[in-house]
Amino acid sequence: MTDQNAVPPQLLHIVIGGELRHLGEPTFRDLSQVEFVGAFGSYDEAKKAWKARAQATVDNAHMRYFILHAHKLIDPRGDAT
């Protein structure tokens, strides 16, 4: 029996982007200019935001956006110790 009111698990994803120094390495040209696109509760939501920003900046070859899987970096059990 499934619970119709169950809340789906929240998997935090963060989308950021900015201009890279070189196309071959993920090093931002200026960290103060890194854009925080948003925090999203699922990969699908984050991918939509990533795609929209990437398409909006397609004319700048050095501009890149990334999806960070923040839920993999958070360990609530380990934070208390």
Side-chain angles (χ1 to χ4, degrees):
M1 181 175 205
T2 60
D3 184 359
Q4 296 278 336
N5 297 323
V7 177
Q10 182 184 76
L11 299 176
L12 181 61
H13 292 81
I14 297 171
V15 179
I16 63 168
E19 279 193 284
L20 301 181
R21 283 191 207 167
H22 307 285
L23 295 178
E25 65 181 64
T27 303
F28 291 108
R29 182 171 286 167
D30 182 354
L31 284 176
S32 70
Q33 297 298 310
V34 170
E35 176 187 359
F36 173 74
V37 177
F40 305 91
S42 73
Y43 178 79
D44 289 337
E45 292 176 77
K47 187 174 178 183
K48 287 178 191 173
W50 165 83
K51 187 175 182 178
R53 289 305 299 141
Q55 288 178 338
T57 60
V58 72
D59 291 337
N60 183 343
H62 283 86
M63 188 67 78
R64 292 288 189 275
Y65 287 85
F66 301 92
I67 299 174
L68 307 177
H69 299 266
H71 62 94
K72 294 182 179 182
L73 304 174
I74 299 171
D75 179 11
R77 294 174 302 248
D79 289 347
T81 59

